[in-house]
């Protein structure tokens, strides 16, 4: 079968790569018939270009790359296609990012640490931030959906490249009457940016509760396999 190459961003924090590798191990265990490989865009090894070149050297001519990314921003739209283009001997289909299909996972992670039925709850939905406005708006829209469906106050906040930051988001929630603050994670794995979010949140509100990142949830594995299957089917139709 055509190999599945899972590609994450990469991080200087070893916890991030370890979490991604553990996720990819679970994907491989769930689909033992597949050749499943882990890779990274930058900062961690193996790099996606090295994995793709390895596949060529082993005689493969096709692969499906599944981005372990939450937003359709610069890394997904520009970086990854450019890296794939560096290995022209391999026909590569790039699947969709994981994105909004992980919304239930993020909400359940939040519900594990906070009473989401509490009308006094204020939720900061924390994400990395992007120079692409549409990617930030997708996170803000998710926060608005939670507020509309569940009754608590919710705003998005970003670790970099976009506003508001976490202290501003907490202040906004307080001004809107929130008496308790929780931070929901829109990060797949732990790392430097989630740590920054946590530190800023605790500084702004010492009693804040923090939800876990998303990679450890068992629903991530079938979603990655679904992205692979959908991409494979699309490639077959266009062949």
């Amino acid at each position: 079968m055509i190999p599945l190459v899972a590609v994450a961003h990469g991080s200087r924090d070893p916890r991030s790569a370890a979490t991604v590798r553990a996720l990819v191990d679970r994907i491989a265990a769930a689909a033992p018939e597949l050749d499943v490989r882990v890779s990274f865009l930058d900062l961690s090894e193996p790099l996606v270009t090295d994995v793709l070149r390895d596949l060529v050297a082993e005689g493969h001519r096709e692969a499906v790359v599944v981005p372990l990314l939450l937003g359709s921003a610069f890394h997904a739209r520009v970086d990854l296609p450019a890296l794939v283009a560096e290995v022209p001997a391999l026909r590569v289909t790039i699947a969709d990012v994981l994105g909004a299909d992980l919304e239930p996972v993020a909400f359940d992670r939040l519900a594990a640490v906070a009473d989401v039925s509490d009308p006094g709850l204020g939720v900061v939905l924390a994400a990395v931030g992007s120079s692409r406005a549409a990617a930030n708006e997708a996170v803000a829209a998710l926060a608005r959906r939670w507020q509309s469906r569940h009754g608590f106050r919710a705003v998005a906040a970003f670790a970099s490249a976009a506003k508001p930051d976490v202290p501003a988001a907490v202040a906004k929630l307080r001004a809107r009457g929130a008496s308790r603050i929780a931070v929901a994670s829109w990060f797949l794995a732990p790392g430097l940016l989630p740590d920054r979010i946590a530190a800023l949140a605790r500084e702004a509100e010492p009693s804040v509760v923090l939800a876990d990142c998303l990679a450890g949830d068992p629903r991530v594995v079938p979603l990655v396999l679904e992205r692979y299957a959908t991409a494979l089917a699309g490639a077959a139709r266009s062949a």
Side-chain angles (χ1 to χ4, degrees):
M1 295 184 71
I2 294 172
L4 185 166
V5 179
V7 56
H9 180 272
S11 172
R12 292 182 178 87
D13 188 326
R15 296 173 300 161
S16 178
T19 300
V20 169
R21 291 189 183 99
L23 169 60
V24 174
D25 285 346
R26 296 198 304 274
I27 295 166
E33 74 282 3
L34 280 182
D35 182 351
V36 180
R37 309 201 185 189
V38 66
S39 68
F40 300 90
L41 295 173
D42 196 9
L43 301 174
S44 302
E45 293 183 343
L47 297 175
V48 63
T49 46
D50 292 337
V51 172
L52 297 179
R53 290 186 182 108
D54 287 345
L55 290 173
V56 173
E58 293 168 17
H60 294 280
R61 292 295 174 261
E62 295 183 63
V64 173
V65 170
V66 180
L68 303 181
L69 302 171
L70 300 188
S72 182
F74 189 85
H75 295 306
R77 296 167 64 87
V78 178
D79 279 349
L80 182 55
L83 291 168
V84 164
E86 293 182 17
V87 191
L90 198 65
R91 180 187 175 193
V92 176
T93 302
I94 301 176
D96 287 341
V97 299
L98 303 183
D101 285 336
L102 286 177
E103 179 178 343
V105 174
F107 183 82
D108 289 348
R109 295 295 213 196
L110 170 67
V113 299
D115 180 2
V116 293
S117 66
D118 178 4
L121 182 65
V123 174
V124 178
L125 178 59
V128 60
S130 171
S131 59
R132 184 170 181 259
N136 300 325
E137 171 55 26
V139 182
L142 193 160
R144 291 194 297 270
R145 283 197 299 276
W146 284 3
Q147 179 171 283
S148 175
R149 292 173 183 171
H150 303 288
F152 52 69
R153 301 157 185 83
V155 296
F158 303 97
S160 64
K163 299 294 183 182
D165 61 12
V166 170
V170 171
K172 184 180 294 187
L173 291 168
R174 288 293 191 195
R176 288 164 53 185
S179 55
R180 282 162 294 282
I181 303 295
V183 175
S185 178
W186 197 237
F187 289 89
L188 195 66
L192 300 178
L193 291 181
D195 282 357
R196 180 190 301 173
I197 291 284
L200 289 170
R202 291 188 180 106
E203 184 177 335
E205 176 50 62
S207 64
V208 68
V209 293
L210 302 161
D212 285 342
C213 298
L214 311 183
D217 190 282
R219 288 169 286 184
V220 181
V221 169
L223 178 59
V224 173
L225 292 171
E226 179 185 312
R227 289 288 191 268
Y228 168 85
T230 300
L232 200 61
R237 287 194 298 270
S238 62

